Each structure stands twice: as C-alpha cells, then as structure tokens.
Amino acid sequence: MTDTERPDLGALFEHYGVRFSGRTRQMVACPLHEDRTPSCSVDLDKGLWNCHSCGRAGDSFNLIQLKEDLDFGGARTFAASLGLATGSAGGGDDELSGSAYGGRRKVAGRKGNQPRGGGYVPAWRRR
C-alpha cells in the first residue's frame, strides 16, 4: 500500500460485519460498540464515518486504529495484510466546485482607482 492509498471504507465495514445497502451515504451499526439501531453515518464517497452514539469519527485508518487498538503504522500493516480494496487518500480537487449551488460565480472588481465609496452611508458617518 502506497502513501496515496487507503483501505476502502465500505470493504472495511463489511470486514467488521456491517452490511450496506447500495447507497453511498447511509446510517449503519457502529462496529466499535453494540448497537440496536444504526447510529453511525458513513459517506463512502468521502471515505468518512461518524458515530453519533460514541462520538468517534474518522477515515478507514482511524477505524482500524480504534477497533484493533493500533497506532497508524500498525493500522497500515493491518490493512495491507487484509488485502482490502484501496481508494484514494484524497488531496485531489477533481470533484470540488466553488459553490454548492452549481459552480463559481464571477464577482466584478473595483473599477480603476475609484475610492471605496458608493452605496448606503449611515447617518452618523455622513457628518
């Protein structure tokens, strides 16, 4: 496993006995403690999980560290020994956009060397 890869979160949860539906964002049982109702939200696209019961959260390496009581190096070795499918460790901005409302908007700059005046001026400032 290289520095730019991490274990696939879905494969890791399935290794710990947590079953998924076909969605990429869902609530599942937390593998760190006994759950009667799903309390752990998982986002497979981002590779992140968050348990609302125990307050623990993180990525696939954090889950291995907490579940197996290992440090980061041990978690990498454990993930490599399991042979889990690997995904990107992030860092790319291929899918990022400037706004959640559909792309970046252009904002007009100031024209020339005009002072920053214009618009509404409060009464106390007009004197």
Side-chain angles (χ1 to χ4, degrees), residues 68-82:
E68 305 296 331
D69 195 28
L70 299 170
D71 62 347
F72 181 73
R76 286 187 58 158
T77 306
F78 181 79
S81 70
L82 289 178

Side-chain angles (χ1 to χ4, degrees), residues 5-64:
E5 295 177 338
R6 65 177 172 200
D8 181 57
L9 190 60
L12 185 62
F13 268 89
E14 287 181 5
H15 170 74
Y16 288 129
V18 178
R19 300 289 173 221
F20 284 100
S21 63
R23 300 181 314 205
T24 60
R25 295 178 88 183
Q26 56 190 307
M27 296 291 288
V28 296
C30 181
L32 300 176
H33 58 87
E34 293 295 321
D35 262 346
R36 282 190 237 155
T37 58
S39 64
C40 185
S41 59
V42 178
D43 189 337
L44 296 177
D45 287 337
K46 293 180 181 178
L48 299 174
W49 62 275
N50 180 19
C51 180
H52 302 282
S53 290
C54 64
R56 306 263 173 97
D59 63 355
S60 52
F61 284 123
N62 293 110
L63 181 61
I64 294 172

Side-chain angles (χ1 to χ4, degrees), residues 58-121:
D59 63 355
S60 52
F61 284 123
N62 293 110
L63 181 61
I64 294 172
Q65 288 175 310
L66 293 169
K67 182 75 173 170
E68 305 296 331
D69 195 28
L70 299 170
D71 62 347
F72 181 73
R76 286 187 58 158
T77 306
F78 181 79
S81 70
L82 289 178
L84 297 173
T86 58
S88 169
D93 58 331
D94 298 337
E95 298 177 8
L96 297 178
S97 67
S99 170
Y101 299 105
R104 298 182 185 267
R105 293 179 287 156
K106 301 212 179 219
V107 178
R110 286 186 13 211
K111 297 175 186 159
N113 291 329
Q114 295 177 351
R116 283 193 145 159
Y120 173 76
V121 178

